[in-house]
Amino acid sequence: MPHQDTPFHYDVTKGYAFLFGGTRNGQVLVYGKNGVVQDRFQLHSGEITQILADSKQQILVTSGTDSTVNMHLFNVFRNEYKMITSHIRSDDHIDTITSLCSIPNLGIFVSASRDCTVK
């Protein structure tokens, strides 16, 4: 029997839902049940502009006005976040990142920026 705070028609045997949110000061918030912030992480020095989460691979990709893309392995249930350093920082955009796109078949993420580049 579902807990009384569990939404109607939610099947708890299929897992747990959570939500990531970005802030203007560069934090990523992890919301748990009932919209309560269960954790927060400082990932950027400026506003978060995009968030992509791949729950199957447990990868969180964020971008911000600080012109960087950050990739983290995450496990919300164990409160673990580990940065993936998969690119050279000098290859980062030089202006605000406006879009992130996942291409799972190739195992890559693509970013676009106000600097008119796609990386």
Side-chain angles (χ1 to χ4, degrees):
M1 173 107 185
H3 186 272
Q4 70 184 36
D5 291 337
T6 304
F8 187 66
H9 294 299
Y10 180 74
D11 186 353
V12 294
T13 63
K14 292 185 178 179
Y16 178 75
F18 55 89
L19 174 70
F20 290 109
T23 67
R24 289 185 175 163
N25 67 358
Q27 292 183 341
V28 168
L29 307 178
V30 182
Y31 294 90
K33 284 187 175 183
N34 303 319
V36 176
V37 174
Q38 79 182 39
D39 222 329
R40 62 184 68 229
F41 298 92
Q42 188 70 45
L43 301 183
H44 290 271
S45 61
E47 182 176 350
I48 303 269
T49 57
Q50 297 284 311
I51 297 176
L52 280 178
D54 181 332
S55 60
K56 289 182 181 178
Q57 295 183 52
Q58 295 185 323
I59 295 175
L60 178 69
V61 182
T62 61
S63 65
T65 57
D66 59 3
S67 305
T68 61
V69 173
N70 291 325
M71 294 177 60
H72 290 79
L73 291 173
F74 71 90
N75 186 320
V76 173
F77 305 108
R78 285 191 256 158
N79 195 26
E80 295 175 349
Y81 293 82
K82 180 179 177 183
M83 187 170 200
I84 301 170
T85 54
S86 61
H87 71 282
I88 301 167
R89 289 291 177 192
S90 62
D91 290 340
D92 283 345
H93 293 282
I94 57 172
D95 203 347
T96 300
I97 296 166
T98 56
S99 183
L100 291 174
C101 179
S102 172
I103 305 174
N105 293 341
L106 299 177
I108 63 172
F109 294 90
V110 178
S111 60
S113 169
R114 287 187 182 157
D115 62 15
C116 300
T117 61
V118 175
K119 297 185 178 197

